[in-house]
Structures are given as structure tokens and as C-alpha cells.
Amino acid sequence: MRNRRGRRLAGLGIGLALLLAGCGSDDGAGVRNVDGTQSPSGSGTASGSGTGSGSGTASGSGTASGQAAACKPVGDAATSDATIAVELKEWTVLPARADVPAGTVTFEARNTGEDAHELVVVRAADPASLPLAADGTVDEDKLPEGAFVGEIEAFPAKQTCPGTFELAAGSYALFCNILETEADGAKENHYANGMRTRFEARG
């Protein structure tokens, strides 16, 4: 799963707009590219703030609230051994429980914040010590082999989106890996701002 960028690019012709999950602020400025980088502010569709940039290049919904594409559930929740609610908001990731027996686990991600968020699941002992890219986001291509478990792609505020994953016994990091650009050009890094937490699967 380390070649996630290649996987996303391979599906570009099928659903580019869905894969470009925008995680913007209330002015809808931020757009996350398929390769994990951030497009300059204003490269997406027209901003709902009324300032109206909009080259028409692929983005999320580009609304004023900075919404991403609609939720895309991951896996089959009907097969899970346990379901854990995980609250996503600025700037925390809060699972209802800190651990669960190893097995098939559904994370019911609930975006109670104002921005769009995602939930990435990787096997790691310390969520604060993941390999970083130059822009300060987690470089998922530099994770150890087999560490990447999966993710719930960015989805809009005030919505819930489930993701079902196989968790072997061990420690995991749950985090949002979105980088957005504010209207004034300032960068907002969700991972660096604190959207990360440790989670345990008990053997």
C-alpha cells in the first residue's frame, strides 16, 4: 500500500473530482492534490466566498465551507468484529476507545469540525514520530513496508463516514494528513496541528 500515489493516479480518469479531496477552511481555499501536495489557493473551482477564482481544474466540491467530495465508505462494515466511533475536529482525533481486540475493525469517523477531514490508519508506535515530507505532512511513501493500513478519504464537515480495516495486534496511529492553504496564503497542516492519536489492537 506504499504506492498510494500511483494507485490514486491510476484511477484519475474514473473519478478525478472524488479523489482530489479538498480540506479547505471556511472560505474553501484549500485543495489537496492526488499526489498529496497542495495546489495554490484559487486553483480549484469557484470559491463560495464571492471572490470567485476558478480555473476549473479538478478539486473537491469547492464550496464556501471547504467541503470535500462526498463520503466514500471503505470496506464492509457488516464483517467487522468491533465498531469504534472516532470524532474528527480541529485539531483532534478522538476515538471513543483507545483500544480494541485485534480483528476486523470499523472506524466510524464523525466529522464534527468546520473543515473537511480524513482518517489515515498506519501501524506505528508513536503517532508524533512518523516520517515527514518537506511540507510537514506525513510522507506515506516513506512508511515502513506494510505499515500503511488504509484511509477514509477526506469528507465534508458534519458528516459521518465508515472505514473497515484488518488490524493485527499492535500499536497504530490515527491521523488526518491534510494540508490546506488559507486565503492569505498561510498553510494549515492538520497533522502538525494535533490531529493524530495512538490506538491499540490487543492480541
Side-chain angles (χ1 to χ4, degrees), residues 27-28 46-52 62-64:
D27 57 18
S47 167
S49 65
T51 56
T63 63

Side-chain angles (χ1 to χ4, degrees), residues 40-113:
S41 177
S43 66
T45 56
S47 167
S49 65
T51 56
S53 63
S55 64
T57 55
S59 71
S61 65
T63 63
S65 61
Q67 290 182 349
C71 164
K72 294 191 299 179
V74 178
D76 183 3
T79 66
S80 65
D81 301 312
T83 299
I84 306 297
V86 182
E87 183 181 17
L88 305 175
K89 63 180 180 179
E90 300 80 31
W91 302 105
T92 57
V93 176
L94 298 171
R97 295 174 51 185
D99 61 9
V100 69
T104 305
V105 178
T106 295
F107 291 110
E108 192 175 75
R110 300 173 180 176
N111 186 349
T112 63

